[in-house]
């Protein structure tokens, strides 16, 4: 499992211009079963994504396709961890 933090490198007006393309990319990751949660940081300086069910090289290849990254609007930090305990209903996250 991965905790991914995305930090904006540009002003919010530039982020907003690319948001629809970013959301479409995010939707594709959900459709593929890779992302399990995502959302904006508070305050809005970036975002957080939880991903599971893939190896790090595949995750990095997918992240490279994010329009935010391709347009140099954001950067990612990826932390991999092995969940030892999860809430009921989230057992699939234990891999």
């Amino acid at each position: 499992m991965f905790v991914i933090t995305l930090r904006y490198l540009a002003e919010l007006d530039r982020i907003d211009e690319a948001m629809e393309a970013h959301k479409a990319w995010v939707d594709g990751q959900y459709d593929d079963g890779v992302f399990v949660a995502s959302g904006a940081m508070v305050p809005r300086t970036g975002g957080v994504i939880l991903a599971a069910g893939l190896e790090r090289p595949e995750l990095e290849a997918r992240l490279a396709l994010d329009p935010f990254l391709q347009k140099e609007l954001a950067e990612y930090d990826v932390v991999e961890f092995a969940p030892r305990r999860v809430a009921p209903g989230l057992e699939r996250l234990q891999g």
Side-chain angles (χ1 to χ4, degrees):
M1 176 161 211
F2 300 91
V3 176
I4 305 152
T5 56
L6 177 148
R7 185 175 64 87
Y8 295 147
L9 300 175
E11 297 297 321
L12 288 179
D13 60 332
R14 291 191 56 217
I15 298 299
D16 290 340
E17 289 172 6
M19 187 60 73
E20 287 306 312
H22 170 73
K23 286 181 178 179
W25 171 80
V26 168
D27 287 347
Q29 306 315 304
Y30 276 103
D31 291 345
D32 289 347
V34 172
F35 286 2
V36 295
S38 61
M41 290 181 175
V42 178
R44 192 174 166 218
T45 58
V48 178
I49 301 167
L50 299 181
L54 72 171
E55 298 295 324
R56 189 175 187 124
E58 182 184 349
L59 174 65
E60 290 176 356
R62 287 172 178 268
L63 295 177
L65 299 176
D66 180 3
F68 280 176
L69 193 64
Q70 291 180 339
K71 295 179 181 185
E72 299 180 351
L73 300 175
E75 64 184 5
Y76 282 108
D77 182 45
V78 178
V79 175
E80 184 172 2
F81 77 104
R84 300 282 183 240
R85 185 174 176 187
V86 297
L90 300 177
E91 291 82 7
R92 86 169 187 96
L93 299 179
Q94 289 181 291

